[in-house]
Amino acid sequence: MCFCCCSFNNAFVFGCYRQRGNKVLEYIRNVPFDYATMVPDYLMAYDKCALFLSLKYHRLKGPDYIQTRIQELRNNFKVRVLLVLVDISDNEAILSYLNHLAVLQDFSLLLAFSEEEAARYLETLKVFEGRDATIIQRKEKDTYPEQVADALAAVRSVNKTDAEQLLSQFGSFRGIVSARMDELTLCPGIGDKKVRRLYDAFHKPFSSLASKKRKEQEAVRKAGKDNAL
């Protein structure tokens, strides 16, 4: 099949003929697939394409290969994906180079650690074609209890039921934050570990540097009291 925009079939993922024999194709099962004569390796929509590169092949051919492939695309596609199969263990330097190249050339870099994972990426890019980011965006909490529960859930092991108990006990988020440790202990269902984690989350500095400075100040104050005695 020779591909052109006017004949693009929205139901298909297209692969160029040079991809024949690529084991990735064996795992494309959830969307229709066909071959086409085209510049990119894969086409998910008329303006969305992917180049495929295995690190073994890159190490064999050197950087000129992928640079040439990118140049051949020109500016014909809105979404450009560099799909990389990580199939060598000593890969840090190569991945750093490809990441830098992707940023410079306006590509999204996707790393797959198996042919099957690479196929899932292609299928997913096709399935979610045309959808906006709302499907992966975090849903905003509408009510005050939900907002409090969402905030408290950031503390390890604190769940929605705990949040409801705390809000019932102290009346507001401000009341929870201002509560002493002994007051938190009196809240039903909140054990010693959760009390310690909550109290530390509300009162300990987030910065390790600030924490160190605070300990030093406390040590100086304690030394001053001892000297006074």
Side-chain angles (χ1 to χ4, degrees):
M1 178 185 294
C2 181
F3 170 79
C4 65
C5 291
C6 61
S7 62
F8 181 75
N9 188 328
N10 283 329
F12 281 74
V13 169
F14 288 95
C16 71
Y17 287 101
R18 68 165 61 90
Q19 289 296 302
R20 284 188 185 275
N22 190 335
K23 290 185 179 180
V24 170
L25 303 182
E26 298 176 10
Y27 297 101
I28 297 181
R29 302 163 181 163
N30 300 310
V31 296
F33 179 83
D34 201 357
Y35 290 100
T37 301
M38 57 188 187
V39 175
D41 291 325
Y42 297 99
L43 201 66
M44 294 75 71
Y46 74 92
D47 61 346
K48 299 176 177 65
C49 73
L51 293 179
F52 177 82
L53 180 68
S54 78
L55 293 190
K56 283 183 180 178
Y57 195 81
H58 177 79
R59 189 165 59 181
L60 177 67
K61 293 292 186 179
D64 289 346
Y65 168 78
I66 190 61
Q67 289 176 359
T68 300
R69 296 297 313 283
I70 290 174
Q71 290 171 3
E72 290 172 348
L73 288 180
R74 300 179 183 178
N75 295 317
N76 295 330
F77 298 92
K78 182 179 179 181
V79 176
R80 295 139 60 93
V81 175
L82 180 57
L83 180 57
V84 174
L85 177 62
V86 182
D87 51 0
I88 61 174
S89 56
D90 184 17
N91 53 46
E92 184 175 347
I94 297 177
L95 290 179
S96 178
Y97 164 76
L98 292 175
N99 182 59
H100 182 67
L101 181 66
V103 172
L104 292 178
Q105 299 295 336
D106 196 25
F107 270 75
S108 296
L109 179 65
L110 292 179
L111 303 182
F113 293 84
S114 67
E115 287 88 355
E116 185 173 5
E117 185 181 4
R120 295 292 84 77
Y121 275 130
L122 291 171
E123 290 178 341
T124 302
L125 288 167
K126 180 61 186 177
V127 169
F128 289 97
E129 172 205 347
R131 301 192 185 185
D132 59 27
T134 56
I135 59 174
I136 61 173
Q137 288 176 341
R138 184 177 180 180
K139 184 179 178 182
E140 293 296 328
K141 307 300 181 183
D142 297 325
T143 66
Y144 182 70
E146 287 178 334
Q147 292 170 352
V148 172
D150 188 51
L152 294 177
V155 180
R156 183 182 173 189
S157 75
V158 175
N159 56 41
K160 184 178 179 181
T161 302
D162 296 330
E164 291 174 351
Q165 287 284 2
L166 288 163
L167 190 58
S168 175
Q169 183 87 359
F170 298 103
S172 67
F173 186 73
R174 181 188 292 274
I176 298 169
V177 173
S178 304
R180 300 189 309 271
M181 191 176 294
D182 60 319
E183 292 175 328
L184 291 171
T185 305
L186 297 175
C187 187
I190 309 297
D192 291 341
K193 286 186 177 180
K194 289 182 182 180
V195 167
R196 168 57 64 183
R197 288 168 182 164
L198 279 166
Y199 190 84
D200 287 348
F202 298 147
H203 297 88
K204 277 193 172 183
F206 289 107
S207 168
S208 59
L209 185 62
S211 180
K212 182 180 178 181
K213 185 177 180 180
R214 180 182 177 183
K215 288 180 180 178
E216 290 174 350
Q217 291 173 344
E218 289 176 351
V220 170
R221 283 198 296 269
K222 185 178 180 180
K225 290 180 179 179
D226 292 342
N227 292 335
L229 296 175

